[in-house]
């Protein structure tokens, strides 16, 4: 007989309504579409409440492996690098953007259900473009996904992923991203990160 899975508690430090939540469904609503959202799960309510009271810790992606930052790349600086991680067996995806020079996280979104790596890369690029527009930044944006880069140039995705109830939040973001590209011009160069020459993208989640 399978053991009953112990429920977790979720802390949202940065989101539409920061707090401690007893279900992921409620916690996810507080971070969905919120730039720079910060959150984490805990095994008990006491642990979660203590963590919330202490404030948001430095964000370290789950499964990330610390490794020396590549110094020999020819990427232009300052710039933003983006990447996505997707478990192809479950379709769970998240994406983020970092400062290329320091690796400092600028935004991180997800996890989202029923998605793909290219959809995450596309969203990450457009998120970075919108971030730069809001901040008045004209800096290059790097992605290692040729597919996502072509989608951004065409201002529209061309994906085989089907819309479902589970991935509705992802396609809501996709629709918003496509509208943003149609309604906005940008001066930021959107460039290919040359992994074979420069090493891993600084935004890589370290899960390969």
């Amino acid at each position: 007989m399978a053991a009953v899975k112990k429920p977790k508690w979720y802390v949202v430090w940065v989101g539409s309504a920061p707090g401690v939540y007893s279900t992921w469904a409620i916690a996810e609503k507080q971070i969905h579409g919120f730039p720079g959202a910060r959150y984490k799960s805990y095994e008990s309510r006491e642990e979660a409440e203590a963590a919330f009271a202490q404030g948001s810790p430095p964000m370290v992606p789950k499964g990330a492996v610390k490794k020396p930052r590549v110094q020999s790349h020819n990427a232009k600086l300052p710039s933003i690098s983006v990447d996505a991680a997707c478990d192809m067996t479950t379709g769970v995806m998240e994406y983020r953007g970092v400062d290329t020079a320091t690796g400092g996280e600028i935004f991180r979104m997800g996890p989202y259900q029923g998605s793909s790596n290219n959809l995450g890369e596309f969203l990450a690029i457009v998120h970075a473009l919108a971030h730069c527009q809001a901040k008045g930044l004209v800096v290059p944006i790097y992605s290692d996904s040729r597919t996502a880069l072509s989608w951004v140039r065409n201002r529209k995705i061309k994906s085989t992923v089907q819309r479902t109830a589970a991935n509705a939040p992802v396609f809501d973001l996709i629709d918003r991203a496509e509208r943003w590209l149609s309604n906005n011009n940008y001066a930021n160069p959107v460039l290919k990160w040359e992994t074979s020459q420069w090493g891993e993208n600084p935004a890589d989640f370290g899960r390969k």
Side-chain angles (χ1 to χ4, degrees), residues 1 3 5 17 85 90 95 105 152 158 161 206:
M1 184 174 179
K5 189 175 180 180
T90 64
Y95 69 81
E105 196 167 68
V152 170
K158 190 176 181 181
V161 177

mmCIF file of all heavy atoms in Angstrom, residues 1 3 5 17 85 90 95 105 152 158 161 206:
data_model
loop_
_atom_site.group_PDB
_atom_site.id
_atom_site.type_symbol
_atom_site.label_atom_id
_atom_site.label_comp_id
_atom_site.label_asym_id
_atom_site.label_seq_id
_atom_site.Cartn_x
_atom_site.Cartn_y
_atom_site.Cartn_z
ATOM 1 N N MET A 1 0.855 -1.200 0.000
ATOM 2 C CA MET A 1 0.000 0.000 0.000
ATOM 3 C C MET A 1 0.882 1.237 0.000
ATOM 4 O O MET A 1 1.803 1.360 0.806
ATOM 5 C CB MET A 1 -0.896 0.016 1.246
ATOM 6 C CG MET A 1 -1.875 1.176 1.268
ATOM 7 S SD MET A 1 -3.016 1.043 2.677
ATOM 8 C CE MET A 1 -3.984 2.518 2.420
ATOM 9 N N ALA A 3 2.403 4.843 0.549
ATOM 10 C CA ALA A 3 2.373 5.769 1.683
ATOM 11 C C ALA A 3 1.661 7.056 1.278
ATOM 12 O O ALA A 3 1.736 7.496 0.133
ATOM 13 C CB ALA A 3 3.801 6.075 2.129
ATOM 14 N N LYS A 5 1.246 10.784 0.826
ATOM 15 C CA LYS A 5 2.197 11.861 0.646
ATOM 16 C C LYS A 5 1.903 12.994 1.618
ATOM 17 O O LYS A 5 0.777 13.477 1.692
ATOM 18 C CB LYS A 5 2.129 12.378 -0.789
ATOM 19 C CG LYS A 5 3.240 13.360 -1.122
ATOM 20 C CD LYS A 5 3.191 13.731 -2.590
ATOM 21 C CE LYS A 5 4.305 14.704 -2.935
ATOM 22 N NZ LYS A 5 4.261 15.065 -4.373
ATOM 23 N N ALA A 17 0.460 38.490 -3.515
ATOM 24 C CA ALA A 17 0.019 38.481 -2.111
ATOM 25 C C ALA A 17 0.992 37.599 -1.311
ATOM 26 O O ALA A 17 0.751 36.408 -1.140
ATOM 27 C CB ALA A 17 -1.406 37.963 -1.991
ATOM 28 N N ALA A 85 14.271 25.481 -18.562
ATOM 29 C CA ALA A 85 14.473 24.073 -18.225
ATOM 30 C C ALA A 85 13.121 23.399 -18.276
ATOM 31 O O ALA A 85 12.150 23.904 -17.714
ATOM 32 C CB ALA A 85 15.095 23.930 -16.837
ATOM 33 N N THR A 90 7.484 15.078 -17.986
ATOM 34 C CA THR A 90 6.320 15.665 -17.321
ATOM 35 C C THR A 90 5.823 16.940 -17.993
ATOM 36 O O THR A 90 4.691 17.348 -17.775
ATOM 37 C CB THR A 90 6.639 15.985 -15.856
ATOM 38 O OG1 THR A 90 7.672 16.989 -15.803
ATOM 39 C CG2 THR A 90 7.115 14.738 -15.117
ATOM 40 N N TYR A 95 11.615 29.186 -16.490
ATOM 41 C CA TYR A 95 12.618 29.948 -17.220
ATOM 42 C C TYR A 95 13.125 31.095 -16.366
ATOM 43 O O TYR A 95 12.498 31.486 -15.374
ATOM 44 C CB TYR A 95 12.045 30.467 -18.545
ATOM 45 C CG TYR A 95 10.988 31.550 -18.439
ATOM 46 C CD1 TYR A 95 11.323 32.891 -18.240
ATOM 47 C CD2 TYR A 95 9.633 31.244 -18.569
ATOM 48 C CE1 TYR A 95 10.355 33.880 -18.168
ATOM 49 C CE2 TYR A 95 8.659 32.218 -18.511
ATOM 50 C CZ TYR A 95 9.031 33.543 -18.305
ATOM 51 O OH TYR A 95 8.063 34.523 -18.229
ATOM 52 N N GLU A 105 20.564 36.704 -10.810
ATOM 53 C CA GLU A 105 19.233 36.461 -11.353
ATOM 54 C C GLU A 105 18.416 37.743 -11.418
ATOM 55 O O GLU A 105 18.311 38.479 -10.439
ATOM 56 C CB GLU A 105 18.518 35.419 -10.493
ATOM 57 C CG GLU A 105 17.310 34.819 -11.160
ATOM 58 C CD GLU A 105 16.816 33.582 -10.431
ATOM 59 O OE1 GLU A 105 16.317 33.724 -9.300
ATOM 60 O OE2 GLU A 105 16.945 32.485 -10.985
ATOM 61 N N VAL A 152 10.736 34.733 -32.059
ATOM 62 C CA VAL A 152 10.736 36.148 -31.669
ATOM 63 C C VAL A 152 10.850 37.027 -32.914
ATOM 64 O O VAL A 152 10.148 38.045 -33.036
ATOM 65 C CB VAL A 152 11.886 36.438 -30.676
ATOM 66 C CG1 VAL A 152 12.043 37.941 -30.456
ATOM 67 C CG2 VAL A 152 11.621 35.734 -29.346
ATOM 68 N N LYS A 158 5.545 28.711 -33.267
ATOM 69 C CA LYS A 158 5.082 27.645 -34.159
ATOM 70 C C LYS A 158 5.409 26.336 -33.460
ATOM 71 O O LYS A 158 6.402 25.679 -33.757
ATOM 72 C CB LYS A 158 5.778 27.743 -35.517
ATOM 73 C CG LYS A 158 5.188 26.824 -36.573
ATOM 74 C CD LYS A 158 5.856 27.046 -37.916
ATOM 75 C CE LYS A 158 5.240 26.149 -38.978
ATOM 76 N NZ LYS A 158 5.900 26.340 -40.304
ATOM 77 N N VAL A 161 3.067 21.807 -29.286
ATOM 78 C CA VAL A 161 2.422 21.637 -27.986
ATOM 79 C C VAL A 161 0.967 22.101 -28.091
ATOM 80 O O VAL A 161 0.692 23.222 -28.539
ATOM 81 C CB VAL A 161 3.148 22.433 -26.884
ATOM 82 C CG1 VAL A 161 2.417 22.294 -25.547
ATOM 83 C CG2 VAL A 161 4.590 21.945 -26.747
ATOM 84 N N GLY A 206 21.645 24.072 -14.947
ATOM 85 C CA GLY A 206 22.578 23.074 -14.440
ATOM 86 C C GLY A 206 21.971 21.720 -14.215
ATOM 87 O O GLY A 206 22.361 20.998 -13.313
#
